[in-house]
């Protein structure tokens, strides 16, 4: 009976949700911070083998929350009512 959840997690959690087809909406915050080095991936899982296989967001919106940026959009055919 669960209709929705909000998941915030590391690369493994996010990758598992995406690989399992459990993601209908994405909210991705981007901060103007460069970490560098051998850092961790933001999203794990199997990922796309090529750009043509990449998950594309529909009806995407961009909002500025200075200094951060929010990119929001939908996967698949789902949209809120």
């Amino acid at each position: 009976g669960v209709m929705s959840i909000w998941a915030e997690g590391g690369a493994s959690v996010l990758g598992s949700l995406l690989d399992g087809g459990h993601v209908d909406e994405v909210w991705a915050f981007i901060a103007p911070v460069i970490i560098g080095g051998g850092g961790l991936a933001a999203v794990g899982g199997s990922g796309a083998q090529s750009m043509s296989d990449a998950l594309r967001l529909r009806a995407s919106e961009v909002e500025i929350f200075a200094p951060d940026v929010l990119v929001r959009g939908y996967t698949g055919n789902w949209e809120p009512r």
Side-chain angles (χ1 to χ4, degrees), residues 53-77:
D53 296 330
L55 177 64
R56 306 246 177 219
L57 300 180
R58 291 180 309 93
S60 58
E61 298 178 4
V62 176
E63 293 182 58
I64 306 293
F65 293 94
D68 301 336
V69 176
L70 166 63
V71 177
R72 183 174 57 197
Y74 303 104
T75 66
N77 295 319

Side-chain angles (χ1 to χ4, degrees), residues 30-36 68:
I30 302 167
V33 176
I34 298 173
I35 297 171
D68 301 336

Side-chain angles (χ1 to χ4, degrees), residues 9-12 14-15 40-44:
S12 294
L14 298 176
L40 299 173
V43 178

Side-chain angles (χ1 to χ4, degrees), residues 15-36:
S16 293
L17 291 169
L18 287 164
D19 285 350
H22 305 297
V23 178
D24 295 320
E25 184 175 1
V26 172
W27 290 42
F29 283 91
I30 302 167
V33 176
I34 298 173
I35 297 171

